[in-house]
PDB file of all heavy atoms in Angstrom:
ATOM      1  N   GLU A   1      59.071 -74.814 148.842  1.00  0.00           N
ATOM      2  CA  GLU A   1      60.014 -75.709 149.576  1.00  0.00           C
ATOM      3  C   GLU A   1      61.348 -75.652 149.241  1.00  0.00           C
ATOM      4  O   GLU A   1      62.341 -75.403 150.067  1.00  0.00           O
ATOM      5  CB  GLU A   1      59.560 -77.267 149.498  1.00  0.00           C
ATOM      6  CG  GLU A   1      60.009 -78.163 150.525  1.00  0.00           C
ATOM      7  CD  GLU A   1      61.489 -78.566 150.127  1.00  0.00           C
ATOM      8  OE1 GLU A   1      61.786 -78.791 149.036  1.00  0.00           O
ATOM      9  OE2 GLU A   1      62.376 -78.717 151.172  1.00  0.00           O
ATOM     10  N   SER A   2      61.714 -75.749 147.950  1.00  0.00           N
ATOM     11  CA  SER A   2      62.979 -75.508 147.339  1.00  0.00           C
ATOM     12  C   SER A   2      62.774 -75.202 145.880  1.00  0.00           C
ATOM     13  O   SER A   2      61.791 -75.755 145.189  1.00  0.00           O
ATOM     14  CB  SER A   2      63.950 -76.708 147.619  1.00  0.00           C
ATOM     15  OG  SER A   2      63.476 -77.882 147.093  1.00  0.00           O
ATOM     16  N   TYR A   3      63.685 -74.486 145.355  1.00  0.00           N
ATOM     17  CA  TYR A   3      63.426 -74.010 143.926  1.00  0.00           C
ATOM     18  C   TYR A   3      64.746 -74.130 143.094  1.00  0.00           C
ATOM     19  O   TYR A   3      65.891 -74.174 143.717  1.00  0.00           O
ATOM     20  CB  TYR A   3      62.942 -72.556 143.918  1.00  0.00           C
ATOM     21  CG  TYR A   3      63.848 -71.658 144.727  1.00  0.00           C
ATOM     22  CD1 TYR A   3      64.859 -70.949 144.102  1.00  0.00           C
ATOM     23  CD2 TYR A   3      63.488 -71.333 145.936  1.00  0.00           C
ATOM     24  CE1 TYR A   3      65.724 -70.052 144.909  1.00  0.00           C
ATOM     25  CE2 TYR A   3      64.212 -70.503 146.738  1.00  0.00           C
ATOM     26  CZ  TYR A   3      65.353 -69.817 146.322  1.00  0.00           C
ATOM     27  OH  TYR A   3      66.110 -68.955 146.985  1.00  0.00           O
ATOM     28  N   TRP A   4      64.673 -74.309 141.818  1.00  0.00           N
ATOM     29  CA  TRP A   4      65.791 -74.432 140.951  1.00  0.00           C
ATOM     30  C   TRP A   4      66.349 -72.930 140.582  1.00  0.00           C
ATOM     31  O   TRP A   4      65.529 -72.216 139.907  1.00  0.00           O
ATOM     32  CB  TRP A   4      65.391 -75.230 139.681  1.00  0.00           C
ATOM     33  CG  TRP A   4      66.597 -75.626 138.885  1.00  0.00           C
ATOM     34  CD1 TRP A   4      66.990 -75.079 137.603  1.00  0.00           C
ATOM     35  CD2 TRP A   4      67.527 -76.595 139.178  1.00  0.00           C
ATOM     36  NE1 TRP A   4      67.977 -75.721 137.158  1.00  0.00           N
ATOM     37  CE2 TRP A   4      68.478 -76.582 137.976  1.00  0.00           C
ATOM     38  CE3 TRP A   4      67.768 -77.376 140.220  1.00  0.00           C
ATOM     39  CZ2 TRP A   4      69.543 -77.519 137.919  1.00  0.00           C
ATOM     40  CZ3 TRP A   4      68.784 -78.317 140.216  1.00  0.00           C
ATOM     41  CH2 TRP A   4      69.698 -78.426 139.076  1.00  0.00           C
ATOM     42  N   GLU A   5      67.522 -72.649 141.031  1.00  0.00           N
ATOM     43  CA  GLU A   5      68.053 -71.410 140.868  1.00  0.00           C
ATOM     44  C   GLU A   5      69.237 -71.382 139.869  1.00  0.00           C
ATOM     45  O   GLU A   5      70.197 -72.124 140.115  1.00  0.00           O
ATOM     46  CB  GLU A   5      68.578 -70.835 142.211  1.00  0.00           C
ATOM     47  CG  GLU A   5      69.092 -69.363 142.195  1.00  0.00           C
ATOM     48  CD  GLU A   5      69.556 -69.000 143.572  1.00  0.00           C
ATOM     49  OE1 GLU A   5      70.526 -69.259 144.031  1.00  0.00           O
ATOM     50  OE2 GLU A   5      68.686 -68.303 144.271  1.00  0.00           O
ATOM     51  N   ILE A   6      69.125 -70.546 138.849  1.00  0.00           N
ATOM     52  CA  ILE A   6      70.146 -70.531 137.856  1.00  0.00           C
ATOM     53  C   ILE A   6      70.819 -69.229 137.697  1.00  0.00           C
ATOM     54  O   ILE A   6      70.131 -68.205 137.780  1.00  0.00           O
ATOM     55  CB  ILE A   6      69.366 -70.770 136.404  1.00  0.00           C
ATOM     56  CG1 ILE A   6      68.418 -71.939 136.534  1.00  0.00           C
ATOM     57  CG2 ILE A   6      70.394 -71.026 135.330  1.00  0.00           C
ATOM     58  CD1 ILE A   6      67.381 -71.883 135.329  1.00  0.00           C
ATOM     59  N   PRO A   7      72.124 -69.273 137.707  1.00  0.00           N
ATOM     60  CA  PRO A   7      72.935 -67.910 137.495  1.00  0.00           C
ATOM     61  C   PRO A   7      72.458 -67.184 136.342  1.00  0.00           C
ATOM     62  O   PRO A   7      72.352 -67.762 135.318  1.00  0.00           O
ATOM     63  CB  PRO A   7      74.345 -68.449 137.501  1.00  0.00           C
ATOM     64  CG  PRO A   7      74.411 -69.727 138.126  1.00  0.00           C
ATOM     65  CD  PRO A   7      73.079 -70.414 137.848  1.00  0.00           C
ATOM     66  N   TYR A   8      72.177 -65.967 136.627  1.00  0.00           N
ATOM     67  CA  TYR A   8      71.674 -65.111 135.496  1.00  0.00           C
ATOM     68  C   TYR A   8      72.688 -65.072 134.312  1.00  0.00           C
ATOM     69  O   TYR A   8      73.840 -64.893 134.412  1.00  0.00           O
ATOM     70  CB  TYR A   8      71.387 -63.670 135.944  1.00  0.00           C
ATOM     71  CG  TYR A   8      71.011 -62.724 134.832  1.00  0.00           C
ATOM     72  CD1 TYR A   8      69.798 -62.830 134.149  1.00  0.00           C
ATOM     73  CD2 TYR A   8      71.790 -61.678 134.459  1.00  0.00           C
ATOM     74  CE1 TYR A   8      69.439 -61.981 133.209  1.00  0.00           C
ATOM     75  CE2 TYR A   8      71.470 -60.793 133.478  1.00  0.00           C
ATOM     76  CZ  TYR A   8      70.332 -60.877 132.838  1.00  0.00           C
ATOM     77  OH  TYR A   8      69.866 -60.129 131.829  1.00  0.00           O
ATOM     78  N   GLY A   9      72.142 -65.279 133.141  1.00  0.00           N
ATOM     79  CA  GLY A   9      73.021 -65.358 131.906  1.00  0.00           C
ATOM     80  C   GLY A   9      73.559 -66.695 131.605  1.00  0.00           C
ATOM     81  O   GLY A   9      74.231 -66.804 130.515  1.00  0.00           O
ATOM     82  N   SER A  10      73.244 -67.705 132.350  1.00  0.00           N
ATOM     83  CA  SER A  10      73.663 -69.136 131.976  1.00  0.00           C
ATOM     84  C   SER A  10      73.091 -69.486 130.625  1.00  0.00           C
ATOM     85  O   SER A  10      71.913 -69.149 130.338  1.00  0.00           O
ATOM     86  CB  SER A  10      73.292 -70.064 133.056  1.00  0.00           C
ATOM     87  OG  SER A  10      73.889 -69.825 134.293  1.00  0.00           O
ATOM     88  N   PRO A  11      73.747 -70.332 129.819  1.00  0.00           N
ATOM     89  CA  PRO A  11      73.218 -70.713 128.576  1.00  0.00           C
ATOM     90  C   PRO A  11      72.001 -71.548 128.585  1.00  0.00           C
ATOM     91  O   PRO A  11      71.255 -71.581 127.752  1.00  0.00           O
ATOM     92  CB  PRO A  11      74.431 -71.478 127.942  1.00  0.00           C
ATOM     93  CG  PRO A  11      75.295 -71.819 129.087  1.00  0.00           C
ATOM     94  CD  PRO A  11      75.183 -70.772 130.088  1.00  0.00           C
ATOM     95  N   ASP A  12      71.851 -72.338 129.740  1.00  0.00           N
ATOM     96  CA  ASP A  12      70.572 -73.133 129.896  1.00  0.00           C
ATOM     97  C   ASP A  12      70.453 -73.440 131.385  1.00  0.00           C
ATOM     98  O   ASP A  12      71.251 -73.130 132.187  1.00  0.00           O
ATOM     99  CB  ASP A  12      70.658 -74.433 129.032  1.00  0.00           C
ATOM    100  CG  ASP A  12      71.881 -75.275 129.394  1.00  0.00           C
ATOM    101  OD1 ASP A  12      71.857 -75.765 130.558  1.00  0.00           O
ATOM    102  OD2 ASP A  12      72.810 -75.476 128.529  1.00  0.00           O
ATOM    103  N   ALA A  13      69.316 -74.170 131.686  1.00  0.00           N
ATOM    104  CA  ALA A  13      68.912 -74.357 133.063  1.00  0.00           C
ATOM    105  C   ALA A  13      69.761 -75.406 133.807  1.00  0.00           C
ATOM    106  O   ALA A  13      69.735 -75.628 135.103  1.00  0.00           O
ATOM    107  CB  ALA A  13      67.538 -74.805 133.146  1.00  0.00           C
ATOM    108  N   SER A  14      70.634 -76.163 133.020  1.00  0.00           N
ATOM    109  CA  SER A  14      71.417 -77.284 133.644  1.00  0.00           C
ATOM    110  C   SER A  14      72.566 -76.657 134.563  1.00  0.00           C
ATOM    111  O   SER A  14      72.995 -77.398 135.399  1.00  0.00           O
ATOM    112  CB  SER A  14      72.028 -78.109 132.562  1.00  0.00           C
ATOM    113  OG  SER A  14      73.034 -77.332 131.771  1.00  0.00           O
ATOM    114  N   PHE A  15      72.694 -75.390 134.520  1.00  0.00           N
ATOM    115  CA  PHE A  15      73.773 -74.709 135.382  1.00  0.00           C
ATOM    116  C   PHE A  15      73.141 -74.345 136.745  1.00  0.00           C
ATOM    117  O   PHE A  15      73.912 -73.785 137.567  1.00  0.00           O
ATOM    118  CB  PHE A  15      74.241 -73.375 134.724  1.00  0.00           C
ATOM    119  CG  PHE A  15      75.190 -73.783 133.465  1.00  0.00           C
ATOM    120  CD1 PHE A  15      74.521 -74.021 132.296  1.00  0.00           C
ATOM    121  CD2 PHE A  15      76.517 -73.821 133.526  1.00  0.00           C
ATOM    122  CE1 PHE A  15      75.341 -74.308 131.176  1.00  0.00           C
ATOM    123  CE2 PHE A  15      77.325 -74.063 132.462  1.00  0.00           C
ATOM    124  CZ  PHE A  15      76.806 -74.323 131.243  1.00  0.00           C
ATOM    125  N   GLY A  16      71.890 -74.715 136.940  1.00  0.00           N
ATOM    126  CA  GLY A  16      71.300 -74.325 138.260  1.00  0.00           C
ATOM    127  C   GLY A  16      71.566 -75.328 139.379  1.00  0.00           C
ATOM    128  O   GLY A  16      72.252 -76.210 139.185  1.00  0.00           O
ATOM    129  N   LYS A  17      70.938 -74.975 140.498  1.00  0.00           N
ATOM    130  CA  LYS A  17      71.008 -75.820 141.667  1.00  0.00           C
ATOM    131  C   LYS A  17      69.748 -75.565 142.539  1.00  0.00           C
ATOM    132  O   LYS A  17      69.062 -74.664 142.359  1.00  0.00           O
ATOM    133  CB  LYS A  17      72.204 -75.440 142.519  1.00  0.00           C
ATOM    134  CG  LYS A  17      72.201 -74.028 143.066  1.00  0.00           C
ATOM    135  CD  LYS A  17      73.459 -73.665 143.903  1.00  0.00           C
ATOM    136  CE  LYS A  17      73.280 -72.198 144.479  1.00  0.00           C
ATOM    137  NZ  LYS A  17      74.487 -71.985 145.313  1.00  0.00           N
ATOM    138  N   TRP A  18      69.481 -76.582 143.422  1.00  0.00           N
ATOM    139  CA  TRP A  18      68.373 -76.481 144.304  1.00  0.00           C
ATOM    140  C   TRP A  18      68.707 -75.546 145.538  1.00  0.00           C
ATOM    141  O   TRP A  18      69.824 -75.659 146.065  1.00  0.00           O
ATOM    142  CB  TRP A  18      68.000 -77.881 144.817  1.00  0.00           C
ATOM    143  CG  TRP A  18      67.293 -78.724 143.795  1.00  0.00           C
ATOM    144  CD1 TRP A  18      67.761 -79.770 143.157  1.00  0.00           C
ATOM    145  CD2 TRP A  18      65.941 -78.518 143.274  1.00  0.00           C
ATOM    146  NE1 TRP A  18      66.847 -80.290 142.258  1.00  0.00           N
ATOM    147  CE2 TRP A  18      65.751 -79.590 142.303  1.00  0.00           C
ATOM    148  CE3 TRP A  18      64.889 -77.639 143.571  1.00  0.00           C
ATOM    149  CZ2 TRP A  18      64.509 -79.621 141.643  1.00  0.00           C
ATOM    150  CZ3 TRP A  18      63.687 -77.754 142.819  1.00  0.00           C
ATOM    151  CH2 TRP A  18      63.499 -78.803 141.916  1.00  0.00           C
ATOM    152  N   VAL A  19      67.799 -74.643 145.781  1.00  0.00           N
ATOM    153  CA  VAL A  19      68.032 -73.772 146.931  1.00  0.00           C
ATOM    154  C   VAL A  19      66.744 -73.796 147.848  1.00  0.00           C
ATOM    155  O   VAL A  19      65.590 -73.851 147.306  1.00  0.00           O
ATOM    156  CB  VAL A  19      68.162 -72.220 146.462  1.00  0.00           C
ATOM    157  CG1 VAL A  19      68.360 -71.357 147.635  1.00  0.00           C
ATOM    158  CG2 VAL A  19      69.451 -72.283 145.603  1.00  0.00           C
ATOM    159  N   GLN A  20      66.917 -73.824 149.129  1.00  0.00           N
ATOM    160  CA  GLN A  20      65.887 -73.949 150.042  1.00  0.00           C
ATOM    161  C   GLN A  20      64.872 -72.738 150.010  1.00  0.00           C
ATOM    162  O   GLN A  20      65.353 -71.490 149.958  1.00  0.00           O
ATOM    163  CB  GLN A  20      66.403 -74.034 151.553  1.00  0.00           C
ATOM    164  CG  GLN A  20      65.389 -74.530 152.524  1.00  0.00           C
ATOM    165  CD  GLN A  20      65.076 -76.017 152.323  1.00  0.00           C
ATOM    166  OE1 GLN A  20      65.895 -76.767 151.966  1.00  0.00           O
ATOM    167  NE2 GLN A  20      63.863 -76.402 152.541  1.00  0.00           N
ATOM    168  N   GLY A  21      63.597 -72.949 150.017  1.00  0.00           N
ATOM    169  CA  GLY A  21      62.642 -71.939 149.966  1.00  0.00           C
ATOM    170  C   GLY A  21      62.036 -71.608 151.417  1.00  0.00           C
ATOM    171  O   GLY A  21      62.719 -72.134 152.442  1.00  0.00           O
ATOM    172  N   PRO A  22      61.052 -70.831 151.590  1.00  0.00           N
ATOM    173  CA  PRO A  22      60.573 -70.423 152.891  1.00  0.00           C
ATOM    174  C   PRO A  22      59.949 -71.570 153.603  1.00  0.00           C
ATOM    175  O   PRO A  22      59.816 -71.455 154.964  1.00  0.00           O
ATOM    176  CB  PRO A  22      59.631 -69.346 152.545  1.00  0.00           C
ATOM    177  CG  PRO A  22      59.122 -69.577 151.207  1.00  0.00           C
ATOM    178  CD  PRO A  22      60.249 -70.162 150.414  1.00  0.00           C
ATOM    179  N   GLY A  23      59.431 -72.553 153.019  1.00  0.00           N
ATOM    180  CA  GLY A  23      58.863 -73.685 153.666  1.00  0.00           C
ATOM    181  C   GLY A  23      57.532 -73.484 154.278  1.00  0.00           C
ATOM    182  O   GLY A  23      56.840 -72.445 154.057  1.00  0.00           O
ATOM    183  N   ILE A  24      57.154 -74.328 155.204  1.00  0.00           N
ATOM    184  CA  ILE A  24      55.890 -74.312 155.806  1.00  0.00           C
ATOM    185  C   ILE A  24      55.624 -73.025 156.613  1.00  0.00           C
ATOM    186  O   ILE A  24      54.501 -72.633 156.886  1.00  0.00           O
ATOM    187  CB  ILE A  24      55.641 -75.557 156.591  1.00  0.00           C
ATOM    188  CG1 ILE A  24      54.109 -75.657 157.199  1.00  0.00           C
ATOM    189  CG2 ILE A  24      56.550 -75.543 157.789  1.00  0.00           C
ATOM    190  CD1 ILE A  24      53.101 -75.759 156.015  1.00  0.00           C
ATOM    191  N   ALA A  25      56.643 -72.506 157.120  1.00  0.00           N
ATOM    192  CA  ALA A  25      56.567 -71.280 157.913  1.00  0.00           C
ATOM    193  C   ALA A  25      55.842 -70.201 157.125  1.00  0.00           C
ATOM    194  O   ALA A  25      55.211 -69.271 157.687  1.00  0.00           O
ATOM    195  CB  ALA A  25      57.923 -70.741 158.321  1.00  0.00           C
ATOM    196  N   PHE A  26      56.072 -70.122 155.775  1.00  0.00           N
ATOM    197  CA  PHE A  26      55.477 -69.090 154.947  1.00  0.00           C
ATOM    198  C   PHE A  26      53.864 -69.315 155.009  1.00  0.00           C
ATOM    199  O   PHE A  26      53.160 -68.321 155.105  1.00  0.00           O
ATOM    200  CB  PHE A  26      55.951 -69.280 153.465  1.00  0.00           C
ATOM    201  CG  PHE A  26      55.299 -68.444 152.556  1.00  0.00           C
ATOM    202  CD1 PHE A  26      55.450 -67.078 152.471  1.00  0.00           C
ATOM    203  CD2 PHE A  26      54.581 -69.098 151.548  1.00  0.00           C
ATOM    204  CE1 PHE A  26      54.725 -66.311 151.575  1.00  0.00           C
ATOM    205  CE2 PHE A  26      53.945 -68.394 150.454  1.00  0.00           C
ATOM    206  CZ  PHE A  26      53.918 -66.987 150.494  1.00  0.00           C
ATOM    207  N   PHE A  27      53.450 -70.541 154.838  1.00  0.00           N
ATOM    208  CA  PHE A  27      51.997 -70.810 154.798  1.00  0.00           C
ATOM    209  C   PHE A  27      51.429 -70.627 156.241  1.00  0.00           C
ATOM    210  O   PHE A  27      50.205 -70.259 156.310  1.00  0.00           O
ATOM    211  CB  PHE A  27      51.760 -72.194 154.220  1.00  0.00           C
ATOM    212  CG  PHE A  27      52.190 -72.286 152.844  1.00  0.00           C
ATOM    213  CD1 PHE A  27      53.425 -72.993 152.549  1.00  0.00           C
ATOM    214  CD2 PHE A  27      51.650 -71.707 151.776  1.00  0.00           C
ATOM    215  CE1 PHE A  27      53.914 -73.024 151.229  1.00  0.00           C
ATOM    216  CE2 PHE A  27      52.093 -71.767 150.508  1.00  0.00           C
ATOM    217  CZ  PHE A  27      53.161 -72.423 150.160  1.00  0.00           C
ATOM    218  N   GLU A  28      52.162 -70.874 157.191  1.00  0.00           N
ATOM    219  CA  GLU A  28      51.698 -70.634 158.602  1.00  0.00           C
ATOM    220  C   GLU A  28      51.496 -69.122 158.822  1.00  0.00           C
ATOM    221  O   GLU A  28      50.512 -68.727 159.459  1.00  0.00           O
ATOM    222  CB  GLU A  28      52.735 -71.222 159.601  1.00  0.00           C
ATOM    223  CG  GLU A  28      52.688 -72.768 159.599  1.00  0.00           C
ATOM    224  CD  GLU A  28      53.720 -73.254 160.596  1.00  0.00           C
ATOM    225  OE1 GLU A  28      54.715 -72.555 160.916  1.00  0.00           O
ATOM    226  OE2 GLU A  28      53.757 -74.433 160.829  1.00  0.00           O
TER     227      GLU A  28
END
């Protein structure tokens, strides 16, 4: 549905953000 995406090389996961995933269309 949405996933936590972190810029590669960031010191930790707090630098990430939520990004929309493929959603129900994928399972359909």
Side-chain angles (χ1 to χ4, degrees):
E1 192 282 320
S2 56
Y3 51 88
W4 191 249
E5 181 178 86
I6 309 162
Y8 176 65
S10 297
D12 58 64
S14 66
F15 289 81
K17 64 179 180 179
W18 287 108
V19 177
Q20 197 69 35
I24 189 59
F26 172 68
F27 298 106
E28 291 173 345

